[in-house]
Amino acid sequence: MKKKNNAVSLQFSNLVFLFAGIVSLLIFFYSAYKLQDPNAFQTTKFYIMCIIISSFLSVLFFWVIIKLNNDLKLNLSITLIIVFFSFYIFETYLFFSNLKSYRQNPDKQFSESIIKAARDKGINYDTRTKLEVLKDLEISGETVYPNLIPEFFRETNGLGEENNKIFPLGGIANTKVILPNELGYFPIYETDKYGFKNPSQAYNKDGLDIVLIGDSFTEGSSVHQNKNIAEILRNFNYNVINLGMAGNGPLIELATLKEYAKQLKPKIILWMFCSNDLENLKYEMSSSILKKYLEDDNYSQNLILKQNEINILLKNFIKKEKKIKSTTKEVNNNYIRIFSDFFNIIKLSNIRVLLKINLQFTEKRILPLKEPFKEIIKNAKKTTSDWGGKMYFVYIPRSLVVIEQKRVESLRNFVLNTNKELNIDIIDLENDLLNDHPDPLSLIPFRTRGHFNEKGYFLIAETIHNRIKNDGYISIKFKN
């Protein structure tokens, strides 16, 4: 009987170490594969470390099977199982903790502690979801739409029939749209005649000083419309049009410049760049319509003349998306989400985030995008110069958290050096504003992450105003 128990124990411990050895080998091959993948999220150093550790562990586990005595092998196998399950129990706990926080507010993964901090400051934090707010507004008789952005149409290469597609760069005209909740409220913005976030009278000016091109930071995410960068610049007596839309990357921004700014011919283009813009460029390059703006200097969809058609397409898109919520596509998306969640648990993603072994913006990821980015910026400068305008490249740090700034250092160096090579004037908000600020975290919602708050946007606009003023520019209002 004792021999039988020993045989079972030996078989059990061998199976445990065999399983551990196979898992180590899988990690080795997966890391070797990701090391060659230009789209990999982690640094080369991280994957090399994984290869070294997994190869060492696989050799160690197979050595244990062959060399160690049965009693020691059994004790080590039990210890290994305890450690294994401890990690995954903790990972599962972290996953469901984060999931609970997400479900409380799907628009933004703010934790209960942030909501509590807001309430402690006397801020009545709106815990409704965006859909709940839209339904409440509809019941009250107010028509407000979701904020439809060009990013939504990259995968389908625009909207409409296959041979007659339009790629919208603005939203629905002359209406109201809702933006995400980051400061305790959902900002409601009014759109202009082209679907951008401007007052209608902004176009009725004798000349235009500034057009802003950019993403959600430019659009004004997190704050009310009268507190975004464009509105603050208007308070500095500039005639301003804001063409920023959330999710925009460099290629959509070039398209926006050519479709709208080229017709408006402002004295100054502010090209607002955020560190995630190159990620967006990667996906924008898959659109045949968007690529034409880079490949053909004369290409245009003539969107400025098609706003009625764009309005219809966008409203139909909203109706279609509402119907999808109750179809099998939603079910399929749930299965995809479940698989993704399971895979993230297997990879101990939450523990890695906790230990700050999380996503890195690596040099090899931006390598394939360097040349297209340079061509886009060169094209934008030429287009601006052709009507006698001047282009400023404004660098906006995506995060004020120090560790995240370090991650994007190679990207920042690349984009700034590219603009220097092209003789484009740079406003580097990291150097010109944030490095000298005594408390940068006070400029973002509840000192965490996200876009800037009202104070942050004001200081950005003030920094831009001081720079162009020091460069000798006088606004059209003062010239007249």
Side-chain angles (χ1 to χ4, degrees):
M1 186 70 178
K2 187 176 181 180
K3 286 184 179 180
K4 186 177 179 180
N5 288 339
N6 287 340
V8 171
S9 299
L10 176 62
Q11 189 177 25
F12 170 78
S13 56
N14 283 342
L15 282 173
V16 169
F17 283 108
L18 179 63
F19 175 77
I22 291 171
V23 169
S24 297
L25 283 175
L26 289 174
I27 294 171
F28 172 85
F29 288 116
Y30 179 75
S31 300
Y33 162 73
K34 296 299 284 185
L35 191 61
Q36 308 301 319
D37 182 5
N39 296 318
F41 283 103
Q42 295 283 3
T43 59
T44 300
K45 183 179 177 181
F46 172 82
Y47 288 116
I48 290 174
M49 181 181 71
C50 288
I51 288 170
I52 293 171
I53 293 173
S54 60
S55 59
F56 170 77
L57 288 177
S58 60
V59 171
L60 177 64
F61 292 141
F62 288 121
W63 178 84
V64 167
I65 294 174
I66 297 168
K67 295 291 186 180
L68 287 192
N69 65 65
N70 295 348
D71 290 339
L72 183 56
K73 196 186 297 183
L74 179 62
N75 291 334
L76 286 174
S77 65
I78 292 171
T79 303
L80 188 62
I81 289 171
I82 291 170
V83 171
F84 177 85
F85 279 104
S86 297
F87 268 103
Y88 278 102
I89 289 170
F90 186 52
E91 171 67 23
T92 305
Y93 163 76
L94 291 175
F95 169 75
F96 282 106
S97 297
N98 291 337
L99 186 65
K100 181 183 177 184
S101 173
Y102 175 77
R103 283 176 175 166
Q104 286 166 347
N105 190 347
D107 298 305
K108 206 73 181 174
Q109 295 185 43
F110 281 135
S111 67
E112 282 292 333
S113 61
I114 293 175
I115 296 174
K116 183 178 182 300
R119 288 174 176 163
D120 288 344
K121 292 180 179 180
I123 298 171
N124 186 19
Y125 197 102
D126 192 341
T127 57
R128 292 176 296 172
T129 67
K130 195 183 295 181
L131 286 176
E132 287 170 344
V133 174
L134 287 171
K135 284 180 182 177
D136 290 344
L137 289 168
E138 187 178 357
I139 291 169
S140 68
E142 191 171 358
T143 301
V144 179
Y145 289 101
N147 188 28
L148 296 183
I149 55 178
E151 178 187 20
F152 293 164
F153 317 118
R154 294 182 314 204
E155 200 172 309
T156 56
N157 196 31
L159 292 174
E161 300 298 325
E162 190 60 40
N163 296 325
N164 192 31
K165 283 200 168 185
I166 290 178
F167 201 118
L169 301 173
I172 300 171
N174 301 316
T175 190
K176 294 179 180 179
V177 297
I178 187 169
L179 269 61
N181 176 3
E182 294 186 45
L183 286 166
Y185 58 85
F186 290 89
I188 306 295
Y189 272 44
E190 293 184 358
T191 63
D192 61 28
K193 60 183 177 178
Y194 301 123
F196 296 101
K197 283 73 174 182
N198 297 288
S200 57
Q201 66 271 22
Y203 293 89
N204 304 323
K205 305 289 182 182
D206 296 327
L208 192 57
D209 292 299
I210 298 170
V211 162
L212 291 92
I213 304 280
D215 63 3
S216 51
F217 286 91
T218 309
E219 183 181 49
S221 263
S222 88
V223 298
H224 291 301
Q225 192 163 6
N226 64 344
K227 300 295 183 180
N228 66 20
I229 297 170
E231 190 60 36
I232 297 163
L233 287 172
R234 291 186 188 107
N235 292 337
F236 283 120
N237 290 308
Y238 298 104
N239 294 338
V240 181
I241 293 293
N242 183 2
L243 300 181
M245 296 287 279
N248 280 4
L251 192 51
I252 287 179
E253 289 162 0
L254 177 66
T256 303
L257 178 81
K258 291 189 171 186
E259 290 287 349
Y260 297 97
K262 189 176 180 179
Q263 315 302 321
L264 298 169
K265 294 180 172 51
K267 303 296 182 184
I268 292 173
I269 288 289
L270 293 176
W271 187 285
M272 316 289 283
F273 179 90
C274 183
S275 60
N276 64 322
D277 286 3
L278 281 190
E279 285 291 282
N280 296 329
L281 176 58
K282 179 175 67 176
Y283 300 107
E284 291 170 356
M285 291 297 289
S286 64
S287 166
S288 60
I289 292 177
L290 293 177
K291 284 173 72 175
K292 289 178 184 177
Y293 288 100
L294 183 58
E295 297 167 351
D296 183 355
D297 286 342
N298 298 315
Y299 177 73
S300 174
Q301 297 182 80
N302 295 311
L303 297 182
I304 210 162
L305 304 175
K306 296 179 180 178
Q307 190 59 44
N308 289 337
E309 192 176 348
I310 291 169
N311 289 343
I312 293 169
L313 285 170
L314 293 176
K315 288 177 182 179
N316 287 340
F317 175 81
I318 292 172
K319 290 177 184 176
K320 184 179 176 183
E321 286 299 302
K322 283 182 178 178
K323 288 180 182 178
I324 284 174
K325 297 294 181 184
S326 59
T327 66
T328 54
K329 183 173 179 180
E330 181 72 10
V331 176
N332 291 336
N333 285 340
N334 287 336
Y335 281 122
I336 293 169
R337 196 177 299 116
I338 289 168
F339 175 79
S340 175
D341 291 341
F342 176 74
F343 192 56
N344 284 331
I345 289 173
I346 292 296
K347 295 192 298 181
L348 300 174
S349 297
N350 290 288
I351 290 177
R352 286 161 54 197
V353 168
L354 197 64
L355 297 174
K356 296 183 172 58
I357 313 173
N358 47 352
L359 303 185
Q360 307 276 345
F361 199 102
T362 66
E363 181 68 23
K364 67 179 179 180
R365 286 175 72 201
I366 67 172
L367 193 60
L369 304 170
K370 283 186 171 183
E371 195 56 38
F373 174 78
K374 186 173 183 178
E375 288 302 311
I376 287 168
I377 297 300
K378 185 191 296 184
N379 198 314
K381 182 190 177 185
K382 181 181 182 304
T383 303
T384 304
S385 299
D386 284 347
W387 76 67
K390 179 176 181 177
M391 176 172 155
Y392 284 87
F393 185 88
V394 183
Y395 180 84
I396 306 173
R398 187 182 184 187
S399 173
L400 304 188
V401 181
V402 173
I403 188 168
E404 297 219 348
Q405 288 177 330
K406 289 180 179 177
R407 283 188 201 139
V408 297
E409 191 63 31
S410 63
L411 180 146
R412 178 175 175 274
N413 291 336
F414 160 67
V415 296
L416 294 183
N417 288 336
T418 298
N419 280 273
K420 287 175 185 175
E421 288 174 19
L422 296 172
N423 294 315
I424 295 172
D425 287 88
I426 296 169
I427 302 174
D428 180 3
L429 293 174
E430 190 168 316
N431 273 341
D432 299 346
L433 170 62
L434 299 177
N435 285 350
D436 294 329
H437 194 277
D439 186 16
L441 289 179
S442 68
L443 307 180
I444 56 178
F446 305 106
R447 307 180 65 83
T448 54
R449 295 168 188 260
H451 297 84
F452 290 91
N453 56 26
E454 294 177 0
K455 183 180 178 183
Y457 281 126
F458 177 84
L459 291 176
I460 288 172
E462 184 180 52
T463 302
I464 291 169
H465 161 64
N466 289 336
R467 171 59 187 277
I468 60 179
K469 181 182 176 183
N470 290 338
D471 285 352
Y473 183 77
I474 301 172
S475 72
I476 291 169
K477 288 182 181 179
F478 288 128
K479 285 180 180 177
N480 295 337

